[in-house]
Amino acid sequence: MYFIIVGAGPEGSSLAELALNDGHKVAVIEASEERARKIVEKYDVEVFHGDIAIGEILEEAQADKADVLVATTGDDSVNLMTMFLGKDRGIKTLISRVNQSCHQGLFEKLGVQVLVNPEVIIAQHLYGMVQEE
């Protein structure tokens, strides 16, 4: 499969690593020059440095060939724009991090699979590990 990941922060980088380890092709779109440089140094991915809402960066990343588009940024407006653009380009699987639960409905109206409040999910998992001891 071909993954396009928007956001090269901790979640996006970890997802890229998992997908690569499973033999998938990965492209990353990142607005921060520093994060873009770091991920290209660490992984065998194609990196597109720029803002998802400006220009034709999805076309540069060959969105027409993508199976999955994942938005992992900490900004719901960027993630929502990413999902809208992905849907507009016919990408089958759209997945996004949602940082504020009040925005969840907007993403779901587009048919996006959402992960709401990932920090809470991690905290619950960690707390569960403590409970098991």
Side-chain angles (χ1 to χ4, degrees):
M1 290 197 315
Y2 177 39
F3 285 70
I4 297 177
I5 301 169
V6 177
E11 294 89 355
S13 295
S14 295
L15 177 59
E17 181 177 13
L18 290 169
L20 288 167
N21 288 342
D22 239 6
H24 300 292
K25 181 180 177 189
V26 176
V28 176
I29 297 172
E30 174 55 55
S32 160
E33 187 175 342
E34 181 182 344
R35 281 186 175 174
R37 183 182 43 77
K38 284 182 180 178
I39 197 164
V40 81
E41 289 172 356
K42 190 171 183 180
Y43 302 111
D44 184 22
V45 296
E46 196 164 0
V47 176
F48 300 88
H49 174 243
D51 185 331
I52 190 71
I54 298 174
E56 300 297 320
I57 201 160
L58 275 174
E59 280 67 29
E60 290 177 42
Q62 297 183 320
D64 59 319
K65 296 180 181 176
D67 300 294
V68 181
L69 177 62
V70 183
T72 65
T73 79
D75 185 334
D76 283 348
S77 61
V78 170
N79 293 345
L80 188 60
M81 173 66 77
T82 300
M83 296 296 99
F84 177 80
L85 293 170
K87 184 171 183 78
D88 189 54
R89 283 154 179 83
I91 299 174
K92 292 180 280 186
T93 303
L94 303 171
I95 303 170
S96 183
R97 171 183 175 168
V98 176
N99 300 285
Q100 296 180 356
S101 57
C102 62
H103 297 151
Q104 183 174 352
L106 294 170
F107 287 84
E108 290 174 344
K109 283 181 183 178
L110 283 175
V112 174
Q113 297 175 51
V114 298
L115 175 62
V116 181
N117 298 325
E119 297 85 6
V120 173
I121 294 168
I122 293 168
Q124 289 170 337
H125 184 74
L126 292 170
Y127 187 72
M129 291 171 72
V130 170
Q131 297 287 21
E132 292 173 3
E133 291 191 18

